[in-house]
Structures are given as C-alpha cells and as structure tokens.
C-alpha cells in the first residue's frame, strides 16, 4: 500500500509550543534545502573572507566542500550573480565584488508579512524609501505566503537587515518568533495606535513608536485648556489609561465620566447622549474606527445645541467627510502625528548599526500635532 504524504495526512503540527500550518510554499523549502544551505554558506563567506573581493575556488572544489552536486552549486552562484555579489569570467572563474561595489539591501516587510500587503501607511513607507535611498541602502520587498518563511526569503534575496512596518496586534506573535529565530538585524516601525494591551509587547523589540503617554497627556491638555471640567472619552478604556489621557484629566481636578462604557459603536449609541445630559459634559474626546466615529457624530448632531459638547478627535481620513455630513457637530480639531518622524528615525538607527555597530534599541518618540 502506498504511504500517504504527510503533507496531506497532517497539515497542522505543533512546533516549539506554536501551531504551525504547513503550506505548499513551506513544502518547497524542504525540496531545495541543499541549495539554500549552499547559498547561506556562500553569503557567509562573501560577508567575511571576501569583503575585499577575490576569486572563488574552482566549482568542483566548492561542490566537494559543501557536499552538493554541480547544478545545485551553480544555482546558488547564479542567485549571487543576479544580486550583483559575484560575476563570471569565462576564462578565469567566478569572482566576488568588493564590499564597496556590492548592492546593500534592506528587506522591507509590511503588515503580517504575508504576500500582497495592503499599504495602510503610504506616507510612512514613502518617507522610509526616500531616507534609505539617501543612505545608499537599496530596498527589497520581503513577503511570503507563510510569515515563517520570511528569513528564508531574506536569505534568497541577499538582504542584510529588515525593517518591518507593523499593522496591529495580530502581527505580534509572528514578529516575536522571527526576531528570536533570525540573526538578521530587525527594526520595527509602529505607526498605528496599539488596539490592545498585548500589542505593546512588541515595543521591546527594536521598535520605533510614538510615546503614547506623551500624546495622551497632550490630548487632555487641549480639552483642559478650553476650560472643560466634565469630559467623556469615546474609545478603549484601556487605551485611555495607557496613554495617560484619563490620569491627566483626573489629576487636573476635572472629571472624566466613565459610568457608561463607550468603547463600541453600540455603547456609544446607547449611552453617550445619556451621559452628556446626566453629567453636563462639555467636552468629548473620540478615537477609533469609522463605525465608532460616525456613531459619535450622529449622537452629537442629534442633541439640542445648548447640550452639544465640543468634540476632539484622533486624526482619521474619514473625519472631513463626517464634518461635512454633520455640520452641527462642534469639532475643535484633530490630534495627529507627523508622518516622517518614525521612518526617518528607523532608517537612521539601522544605518548607524550597519556602519558603526551601534546597538539597535526601542525608541519612543515625543511627537504630537494638533490640527484645528
């Protein structure tokens, strides 16, 4: 009886405490394992023994050294030739270019690392590309059908480091596993407010992010400076505490009314108007996605003018449309971040690490913009 393929029989296995789903792309990894090992060895040689260039030993000698056949070795050499690391001289053999003449690649990973990423932060990525170009670092997009294959993709394309544009808490376990698994220098860019507590765990891993306690206090200052003493917060209660928005309101002597939770669209529609009337709330801060934001605008526009509080919001691309749709809402402005500060910091930190060995670290940036 023919033995069933393990790829069909057991598509899911547990590896190092994690559920690991085998895909066809991961299956390919095992089919060309020898080729990838040769490529790894050659890249290591080029980075160390051949920094100043030079001629590689004859191919048959290298095949014996690595224990592979000539086609496998030739395939690895061709990959290096495409990258611009080596060149062939038909009469004299294969030569390695000096380090100063090679292309230095930075791998760019976006979102959860899977193929066809959505570019949610186009400005940030554009600033990063320009900054890396200025430092003469070339960018190679690194994505894979399974994020676990990203280190392999990085090896294949010859990148020497990774910059990872984060996109939410779902990315956290993937990132943590890969940082512990790969020896590549990795810099994380977090331009999105963390949606839940587990997302901030990634801030420990060479992550450039905003100083959220600074931005939370700045948001509170805007409402307090306008004389508001009874304030409501429409958004995650955890985030209000983490960013120190809530403590800043309380420490000022003003009142942050949290009797009614306002974290979801349903809660906002059910409780916001009652809270405003009951506590004579004069200022509301709203953050969150389009559904929550629209609910806040609808509730406020439905209140009598004398009961309608001022609204401060997180900068969100749909806010201008909501302002046009609900002109009665008294929106005093948007809280934002500058789009270039994180990518510029990440690119400069990676450059210093590659050139001088400066240790990578996490950086919390005090960046805040108020847009009236």
């Amino acid at each position: 009886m023919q033995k069933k393929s393990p790829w069909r029989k057991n598509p899911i296995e547990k590896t190092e405490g994690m559920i690991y789903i085998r895909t066809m792309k991961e299956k390919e990894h095992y089919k060309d394992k020898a080729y990838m090992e040769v490529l790894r060895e050659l890249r290591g040689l080029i980075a160390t023994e051949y920094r100043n260039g030079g001629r590689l030993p004859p191919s048959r000698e290298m095949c014996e050294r690595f224990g592979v056949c000539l086609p496998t070795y030739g395939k690895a050499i061709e990959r290096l030739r495409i990258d611009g690391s080596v060149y062939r001289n038909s009469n004299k053999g294969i030569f390695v270019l000096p380090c100063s003449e090679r292309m230095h690649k930075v791998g760019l990973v976006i979102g959860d690392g899977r193929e066809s990423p959505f570019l949610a932060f186009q400005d940030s990525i554009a600033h990063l590309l320009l900054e890396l170009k200025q430092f003469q670092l070339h960018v190679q997009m690194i994505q894979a059908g399974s994020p676990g294959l990203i280190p392999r993709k990085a090896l294949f394309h010859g990148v020497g480091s990774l910059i990872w544009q984060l996109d939410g808490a779902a990315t956290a376990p993937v990132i943590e596993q890969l940082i512990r698994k790969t020896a590549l220098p990795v810099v994380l860019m977090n331009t999105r407010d963390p949606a839940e507590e587990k997302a901030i765990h990634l801030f420990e891993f060479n992550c450039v992010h905003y100083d959220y306690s600074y931005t939370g206090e700045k948001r509170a200052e805007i409402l307090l400076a306008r004389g508001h003493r009874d304030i409501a917060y429409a958004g995650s209660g955890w985030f209000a505490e983490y960013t120190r928005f809530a403590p800043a309101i309380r420490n000022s002597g003003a009142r942050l009314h949290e009797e009614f939770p306002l974290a979801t669209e349903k809660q906002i529609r059910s409780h916001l108007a009652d809270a405003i009337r009951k506590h004579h709330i004069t200022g509301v801060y709203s953050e969150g996605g389009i559904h929550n934001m629209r609910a806040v605008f609808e509730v406020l526009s439905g209140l009598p003018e004398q009961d309608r509080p001022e609204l401060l919001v997180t900068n969100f691309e749909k806010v201008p449309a909501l302002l046009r749709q609900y002109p009665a809402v008294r929106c005093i402005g948007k809280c934002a971040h500058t789009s270039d500060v994180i990518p510029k910091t990440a690119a400069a930190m990676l450059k210093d690490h590659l050139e001088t060995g400066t240790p990578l670290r996490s950086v919390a940036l005090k960046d805040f913009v108020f847009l009236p």
Side-chain angles (χ1 to χ4, degrees):
M1 181 182 293
Q2 186 176 3
K3 187 177 180 181
K4 291 185 179 180
S5 167
W7 299 99
R8 297 178 180 273
K9 181 180 179 181
N10 185 25
I12 300 178
E13 66 176 16
K14 289 187 176 179
T15 304
E16 297 181 358
M18 298 184 67
I19 292 179
Y20 186 76
I21 300 176
R22 286 176 168 177
T23 66
M24 290 303 296
K25 288 184 178 291
E26 286 166 331
K27 184 178 178 181
E28 292 298 318
H29 167 67
Y30 295 93
K31 291 177 65 176
D32 61 1
K33 186 176 180 180
Y35 157 63
M36 293 302 296
E37 286 299 320
V38 172
L39 187 59
R40 187 188 307 276
E41 292 284 348
L42 285 171
R43 290 202 188 280
L45 281 174
I46 289 172
T48 54
E49 299 179 22
Y50 289 86
R51 285 189 61 81
N52 298 321
R55 179 178 178 273
L56 288 174
S59 296
R60 293 194 180 279
E61 181 180 328
M62 296 296 280
C63 287
E64 291 179 7
R65 175 176 178 174
F66 296 134
V68 296
C69 62
L70 192 60
T72 298
Y73 178 74
K75 183 179 177 182
I77 288 294
E78 180 62 15
R79 180 67 250 175
L80 294 174
R81 188 194 67 78
I82 293 171
D83 285 345
S85 298
V86 305
Y87 65 95
R88 292 180 181 273
N89 184 310
S90 57
N91 296 322
K92 298 182 179 180
I94 299 167
F95 289 81
V96 179
L97 275 75
C99 182
S100 58
E101 297 178 18
R102 297 176 212 153
M103 184 180 296
H104 297 274
K105 291 183 181 180
V106 175
L108 174 60
V109 188
I110 296 173
D112 65 0
R114 297 182 186 276
E115 292 175 330
S116 301
F118 174 66
L119 303 183
F121 299 95
Q122 297 178 61
D123 288 348
S124 177
I125 295 170
H127 288 302
L128 176 66
L129 296 177
L130 291 172
E131 204 68 13
L132 291 173
K133 181 180 180 181
Q134 178 182 326
F135 296 146
Q136 297 182 344
L137 294 171
H138 301 270
V139 176
Q140 172 76 52
M141 178 73 80
I142 301 293
Q143 307 286 137
S146 170
L149 293 178
I150 285 177
R152 182 176 184 274
K153 282 287 188 83
L155 170 65
F156 179 78
H157 289 291
V159 307
S161 55
L162 295 176
I163 290 186
W164 197 311
Q165 169 75 60
L166 301 182
D167 186 16
T171 315
V174 175
I175 296 282
E176 184 174 353
Q177 181 191 21
L178 291 180
I179 287 179
R180 296 186 187 281
K181 179 179 178 181
T182 180
L184 285 175
V186 181
V187 176
L188 308 181
M189 298 198 314
N190 183 66
T191 51
R192 184 192 294 276
D193 291 350
E196 50 191 323
E197 189 169 3
K198 66 180 181 180
I200 66 174
H201 178 54
L202 282 175
F203 293 173
E204 304 170 13
F205 297 100
N206 306 333
C207 184
V208 183
H209 60 279
Y210 298 118
D211 185 335
Y212 290 103
S213 62
Y214 175 79
T215 58
E217 291 173 348
K218 285 292 184 182
R219 292 164 177 173
E221 286 176 10
I222 294 171
L223 291 172
L224 295 171
R226 295 180 70 86
H228 295 294
R229 311 303 294 172
D230 290 280
I231 297 168
Y233 179 87
S236 165
W238 166 82
F239 193 64
E241 297 293 336
Y242 171 69
T243 61
R244 297 200 59 77
F245 174 85
I249 297 295
R250 293 193 290 262
N251 293 340
S252 72
R255 292 164 293 278
L256 182 64
H257 296 284
E258 302 173 277
E259 175 185 353
F260 302 105
L262 301 171
T264 66
E265 178 186 5
K266 182 177 179 180
Q267 291 170 345
I268 291 168
R269 294 187 185 280
S270 300
H271 304 309
L272 180 56
D274 291 338
I276 291 170
R277 295 189 186 99
K278 179 177 179 179
H279 300 293
H280 305 289
I281 289 170
T282 61
V284 176
Y285 178 70
S286 175
E287 53 99 0
I290 181 59
H291 302 297
N292 284 19
M293 200 79 77
R294 184 189 295 113
V296 170
F297 272 78
E298 288 183 4
V299 169
L300 295 188
S301 66
L303 293 172
E305 185 175 358
Q306 65 273 15
D307 296 335
R308 197 175 299 141
E310 289 188 334
L311 174 65
L312 178 66
V313 299
T314 295
N315 189 37
F316 183 58
E317 63 178 2
K318 302 298 183 182
V319 169
L322 292 171
L323 288 170
R324 291 191 296 270
Q325 189 175 356
Y326 303 100
V329 173
R330 299 162 61 193
C331 184
I332 59 176
K334 298 175 287 185
C335 300
H337 298 289
T338 51
S339 60
D340 63 345
V341 62
I342 284 182
K344 284 185 175 182
T345 303
M349 184 166 67
L350 182 61
K351 168 184 171 289
D352 289 343
H353 174 76
L354 295 176
E355 291 184 353
T356 66
T358 304
L360 298 174
R361 59 191 178 90
S362 289
V363 179
L365 301 172
K366 288 179 166 50
D367 178 74
F368 180 81
V369 180
F370 176 58
L371 305 172

